[in-house]
Structure formats: C-alpha cells, structure tokens
C-alpha cells in the first residue's frame, strides 16, 4: 500500500478529469489523454485514482498506460520533435535525417537533450508520405525536409 | 470580390500553406484588394502543394507550388484580373485546375468534393451534392439500404476487402437493441493518407456515410477512432460533428425523419496494431489494444459485446455517392470482383505524389510510370511497396499486375489501403526486410508468439544474412520463420509481415548476398 501523500494539486486535477469523463462509454483512454494533456505525462499518483474511479485494478490501468506509445511516464523536454521513420520517408532520405538529428542533439531516439530543450521521438507515419520526409515539432507538421530544413527546426527550439 | 482557395490539408500545411495564406492576407490588406481566402482540403496534387487556386469567370485556375516569396510576384502578374492572359506567363501557372492531367484523368466519386469546398461549410457540402445519399436513405427501409450497398460491390477499403453490404446485413439481422457503427480512422500504414485527406477535406461525407450505416443496421451510436498522429483530422472531424449535430444531420431525429444517430470522436494513443479491427474495439473499450480471436465476429459481438459495423473511413465515405447515384453507377466502374473506384495514394520517391482516385484495373506500371511519372530523384524505380508496411515489394517485372484485390493476391501481395511507396535504385532491400521485422517487433500487441518473438528473431536472422554468416542456412531459416508467422498469427501484423520480407528476398536476391567478410589477421 502506498503510504506517500498524493500531491494535492495532481489529486484535485485528476479527480476533476475522472468525474468529467467517467460517464463516457469506455472512458479510460479519454481520461488518460486528458491527464497527459494536463501534466505532460501520466503521474504515478494518477493510476490508483483512475483505477478506483473506474472500478478497475491498478494493474489493469498500468497495463493500458504502458501498452500505448503515446503515454509518458516522465515529462518530455520543452519541445518534442517527432521524425517519421516509416517506409515512404525512408524512400526520401528519412534515415539520413534521423542520423543528423541524433548527431546534432547528441542523443538517440526516445531521449531528451541534456539541457532539456528537445525530446527526439520516432513516429511511424504522420500521413505526410507524399511530402516526405516528414516531421512534427510540437504538433506542427513539416514536410520535404532536408538537412537545412531540419537544422532550421532545431535552431527554432534552441538546439 | 475574388475568391482564392488555399488548402489546409496537413500535407499542404507541412510545406507552408499557412505561411502563403498569411502572406496573401497581409498583402491584400495592405493593397486594399477585394479578395476572400477560402481554406479547402487538398486536391491531392501533393507535389504541387501549396497549390493556390484563383476563381475566374471561366473556373478555377491553379498556381503551384507557391511559397510566401511568390505571393507578390503572382499578384504583380495579374492573377486577380479575372482572365489569365498575362498571368499564364508566370512559371507557377498550371492552367485550369480541372484540366491538369493528374486530376482530369481521375474518376472522383468518393473524393469529388475534396479540395473543392470549405470542409466545414455544410452549405458548400449541400451545394456540391452532399446529403443527397442520406436524404434518399431516410426514405428507404434498412434492408433496401443494405441491398444497395451490397449491389454496389463495395469492399472494405481498409485492406481486407470484405464486402461491406454483407457485413451490414449481419448486423441488421442481429435482434439486439444496442448496436454500434465504428469508423476505423487509425490509418497507420506508411504510404497511405486517404483517410486523413477525406477527414480534413470533406468530413461531412464520413459523417453522412456513418449515419447511413446507422439507418441501415439499426445502430444509434457511432465512434470515429482517429490516430493521435492526425491532430488536424481530429480537429476537423470534431468540429464537423458539432456542426452536423446542430444542423439536425445527427441527433435524436436524423434529418427530421425520426431515427436517432449520434457520433463521438475518439483519439488513439500511438499503437499501430489498433488499426486491426478487434484491437481497435478493445482500445475503444479502454483496454490494451490486443487482438481478439474471431469468431465471434465484431458484427455479432463487437464493441462492448454488441453487434458492430466496423468499417474503414473510405468504405463509409463511399456509401453516400452509392445511395445518391445508385449502386449500378458505382458498380460499373472497376474490374473482376473489385468494383468501383479506389483512391490510390502515391508516396515516397515519386515525381507526382498525391491521391489518384480511379476505377480498379490500372496496371501497377501505368500507375508508377505514367501517373506518378517515375521517381522524384530521376533515378530508375527499383521497388514499389504496395499496401503499407505489411505489403509486398514489387519489382518492375511484376508491373503488369492490374490494381485489383485478386490479381494482387495472386502476385504474392496485397492492395491493402492502396498506398504505393516508390523506391529508387539506391534502396537496399535487405534493409527494408529488416525494417519490416523491426516494425513488427515494435508494434506487436504480444498476443501471438510467432509475431511477438518471431519478429525479433527475424531481425537477428536478417542481420546474420547481412553479415554473410551461413547465408543459405539463414535464408532457409528466415523462410521457415515467415511461414510460421504467416500461419500462426491471429491478425495481419504477424500474418502479413512476411509479405515485405519474403518479396524482398524473392525479387531482390542480390541484396541478400553479403559483401565478402575480410577476416582479421591472426
């Protein structure tokens, strides 16, 4: 049994999200999305609260959180750069772009630069296969990227 | 007042459409120009994006690809003059949009309005033939609607190609009070973007198709499950559902005719396998996106155990035109058992990338060489992957394969969601085979051992072949492993990953011969 106190602001927000969304059919994913939108990740404290609210076991909620690539256990960097690594982008030099991003940032995929500015993530298709290679920076889409275009994006986020 | 059309489709945004629109608006304000900028979906000529269209007395005229720096020169060339006598000298002038061969040669049934109208204007939608299908449907019996869809020959456009009408009939025949329509918008296959385009460019047609499905089967609730990688589609669909509800297209009395149907938009969470229908249903229920064994079929026991129609976006979006123009009109396009039109998505290293809706039956070679115009890099085409990450790689020797479900299956491949990814001669097919296994390992839901473990072993075996370690023995092992995955997996992820792997091995054997390893001196 967890003895540590749930920080009150997290508890208040999570409780609010649960009560707002629990009436939905299949409310777990919408609740997790809302929690992540609020905190940038799924705080550990949220899991037992959601389990209690939806009459699930903590293991069930944990199992769902860890199944999906989108849910983070820790906050990301200040910016998130998603580079598409799928076939259409590979056909247009996506791998070289990925290598360049890793080298410029000094990190691998799924890592955050040392100064916390950028988290680099692979994404398997943004549906921009006709303007490849493609990337998404903080939700904004970019296509036909070359080395210069990537450098411009990285400069925008101070990396 | 002159109307100027600039897409807000994500592919256009990715190459700067917003910046072009902003620059034009700024210039128009500074010069006091009388123009209105209408943001549309995309026409699908993606190599020409951002494509800017100007309304003239003789129809729309296109310019592209336009950058913000082109805006002032274009205005200087007289694009707003109403005739094109001067602006046709501009290097970006493309002529009347509808006359551009890539567009002119298409048969646009499902995508008729995409790129033409303001996606969120229900008036625009109606003015261009929208709601005609639903209007007919509300006056028909459920059985008659199902019959029309069956007669049209429409098959699931998500990839499996199952007859849509039969699926609907199964749900109609279930006596349950609670039934669901689920729209599968988890378009995760690389090389495909038709679902995204129609949701961003003509969202009401998806809603109309779902409402018709509801009337046809007695379902009163619909879900659209959209992948989280598509924020623009989620936004457009969410707003469109709100507009449709306020206009009485959805709600307790669809079009005022007494039948109830409403839609909820749900967002995926980055799991490729949730594009598989039973994994998607589990995900909607709030569970891990693990594949279910069939039977029971979703049509009998689907979402929350209730009878459920689960259809791809394009299948549902094709229904309104079938009801409107009649099943025969739709059925008369196509070949063999592949009826109607298919939105082919041309992606990757192609000169003309974009969406090309056409009747089934073009050969792969016609699509790649004529429609797509070969590669963007100008190098020879080496391979074409058809149908996404689970589709086979086709060499030029198979370019005479007609675009048809059965013909592709006979050639050892699949149409899938009709995405075509072109690779030039710099592609390394061993690397592509390795990626297919790697992707399967990352995205496997974990239920079936051949998929969960086999994909990881597959990466290792391909690596050994690449390093020249016992190549014959390892190629035999890879073939055996692929067979195990193909026949020992519940869904297409484990079952079809062998397609890209084995097609690469079969058609490009030279790429699987490792360079001789130089032994280090003792």
């Amino acid at each position: 049994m967890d003895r540590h106190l749930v920080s009150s602001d997290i508890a208040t927000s999570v409780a609010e999200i649960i009560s707002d969304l629990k009436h939905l059919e299949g409310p777990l994913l919408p609740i997790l999305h809302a929690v992540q939108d609020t905190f940038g990740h799924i705080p550990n404290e949220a899991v037992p609260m959601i389990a209690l609210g939806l009459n699930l076991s903590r293991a069930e909620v944990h199992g769902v959180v860890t199944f999906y690539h989108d849910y983070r256990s820790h906050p990301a960097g200040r910016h998130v750069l998603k580079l598409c690594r799928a076939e259409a982008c590979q056909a247009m030099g996506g791998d070289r772009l990925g290598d360049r991003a890793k080298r410029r940032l000094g990190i691998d995929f799924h890592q955050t630069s040392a100064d916390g500015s950028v988290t680099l993530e692979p994404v398997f298709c943004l549906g921009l296969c006709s303007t490849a290679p493609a990337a998404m920076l903080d939700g904004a889409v970019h296509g036909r990227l070359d080395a210069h275009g990537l450098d411009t994006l990285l400069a925008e986020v101070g990396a | 007042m002159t109307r100027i059309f600039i897409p807000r489709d994500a592919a256009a945004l990715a190459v700067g459409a917003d910046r072009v629109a902003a620059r034009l608006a700024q210039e128009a304000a500074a010069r006091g120009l009388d123009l209105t900028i209408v943001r549309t979906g995309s026409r699908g000529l993606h190599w020409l994006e951002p494509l800017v269209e100007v309304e003239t007395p003789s129809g729309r005229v296109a310019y592209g690809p336009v950058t913000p720096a082109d805006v002032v020169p274009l205005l200087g060339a007289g694009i707003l003059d109403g005739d094109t006598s001067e602006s046709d000298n501009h290097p970006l002038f493309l002529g009347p949009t509808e006359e551009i061969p890539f567009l002119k040669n298409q048969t646009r049934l499902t995508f008729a309005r995409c790129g033409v109208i303001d996606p969120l204007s229900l008036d625009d939608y109606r003015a261009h033939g929208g709601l005609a299908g639903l209007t007919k449907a509300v006056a028909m019996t459920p059985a008659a609607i199902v019959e029309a869809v069956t007669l049209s020959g429409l098959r699931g456009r998500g990839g499996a190609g199952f007859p849509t009408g039969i699926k609907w009939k199964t749900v109609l025949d279930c006596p349950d009070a609670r039934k669901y329509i689920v729209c599968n918008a988890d378009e995760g296959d690389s090389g495909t973007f038709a679902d995204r385009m129609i949701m961003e460019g003509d969202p009401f047609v998806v809603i109309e198709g779902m409402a018709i499905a509801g009337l046809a089967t007695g379902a009163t609730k619909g879900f659209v499950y959209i992948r989280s990688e598509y924020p623009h589609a989620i936004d457009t669909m969410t707003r469109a559902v709100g507009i449709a509800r306020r206009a009485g297209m959805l709600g307790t009395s669809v079009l005022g005719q007494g039948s109830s149907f409403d839609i909820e938009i749900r967002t995926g969470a980055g799991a490729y396998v949730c594009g598989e229908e039973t994994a998607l249903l589990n995900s909607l229920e709030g569970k891990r996106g693990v594949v279910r064994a069939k039977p029971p079929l979703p049509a009998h026991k689907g979402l929350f155990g209730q009878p459920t129609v689960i259809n791809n976006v394009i299948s549902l979006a094709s229904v309104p035109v079938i009801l409107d123009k009649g099943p025969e009109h739709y059925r008369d396009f196509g070949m063999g058992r592949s009826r109607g039109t298919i939105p082919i998505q041309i992606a990757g290293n192609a000169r003309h990338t974009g969406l090309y809706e056409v009747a089934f039956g073009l050969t792969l070679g016609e699509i790649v060489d004529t429609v797509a115009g070969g590669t963007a890099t100008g190098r020879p085409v080496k391979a074409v992957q058809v149908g996404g990450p689970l589709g086979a790689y086709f060499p030029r020797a198979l370019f005479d394969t007609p675009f048809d479900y059965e013909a592709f299956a006979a050639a050892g491949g699949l149409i899938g969601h009709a995405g075509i990814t072109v690779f030039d001669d710099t592609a390394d097919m061993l690397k592509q085979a390795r990626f297919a296994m790697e992707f399967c390992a990352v995205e496997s839901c974990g239920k079936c051992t051949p998929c969960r473990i086999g994909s990881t072993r597959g990466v290792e075996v391909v690596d050994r072949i690449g390093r020249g370690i016992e190549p014959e023995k390892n190629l035999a092992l890879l073939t055996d492993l692929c067979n195990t995955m193909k026949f020992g997996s519940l869904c297409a992820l484990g079952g079809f990953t062998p397609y890209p792997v084995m097609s690469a091995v079969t058609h490009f054997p030279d790429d699987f011969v490792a360079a001789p390893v130089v032994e280090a001196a003792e």
Side-chain angles (χ1 to χ4, degrees), chain B residues 354-395:
Chain B
L355 182 127
Y356 195 87
E357 182 179 353
V358 69
F360 284 95
L362 282 187
T363 66
L364 186 55
E366 285 171 316
I367 297 165
V368 174
D369 295 325
T370 311
V371 177
T375 63
T377 47
R379 302 182 66 96
V381 175
K382 177 168 181 174
V384 185
Q385 188 178 29
V386 184
L390 308 175
Y393 285 100
F394 281 77

Side-chain angles (χ1 to χ4, degrees), chain A residues 24-26 28-29 33 63 67-70 86-88 90-92 95 124-127 129-130 141-144, chain B residues 14 46 49 178 180 190-191 196 221 227-228 266-270 283 286-289 348 353 385 431-432 435 443:
Chain A
L24 294 175
E25 293 178 90
L28 183 50
L29 263 68
H33 277 311
F67 180 86
Y68 295 95
H69 298 306
D70 280 2
E87 289 89 342
Q90 291 168 13
M92 290 299 280
D95 288 347
F124 293 102
C125 201
L126 293 165
C129 323
S130 51
V141 286
H142 301 273
R144 291 184 204 139
Chain B
H46 289 162
E49 294 287 5
R178 187 88 178 144
Y180 294 98
S190 174
R196 181 185 63 64
K221 176 77 183 274
R227 59 201 299 262
S228 61
R266 287 293 173 87
T267 306
S283 186
K287 298 173 184 157
R288 291 163 67 91
T353 55
Q385 188 178 29
K431 198 173 151 197
Q432 296 308 127
F435 175 78
E443 297 296 340

Side-chain angles (χ1 to χ4, degrees), chain A residues 39-117:
Chain A
F39 302 104
H41 69 295
I42 309 287
N44 278 334
E45 300 94 313
V47 173
M49 292 182 66
I50 295 169
L52 189 68
L54 301 186
N55 197 23
L56 296 168
S57 73
R58 286 166 61 177
E60 282 170 306
V61 177
H62 176 79
V64 171
V65 172
T66 52
F67 180 86
Y68 295 95
H69 298 306
D70 280 2
Y71 299 128
R72 304 172 191 285
S73 53
H74 301 285
R78 288 188 295 282
H79 303 281
V80 176
L81 177 63
K82 297 183 181 198
L83 280 183
C84 179
R85 306 205 62 213
E87 289 89 342
C89 289
Q90 291 168 13
M92 290 299 280
D95 288 347
R96 284 196 303 279
L97 216 55
D99 290 342
R100 186 181 182 87
K102 289 194 275 188
R103 203 168 57 242
R104 291 284 312 259
L105 294 168
I107 53 174
D108 204 342
F109 282 109
H110 302 291
Q111 293 181 347
T112 301
S113 57
D115 62 356
S117 63

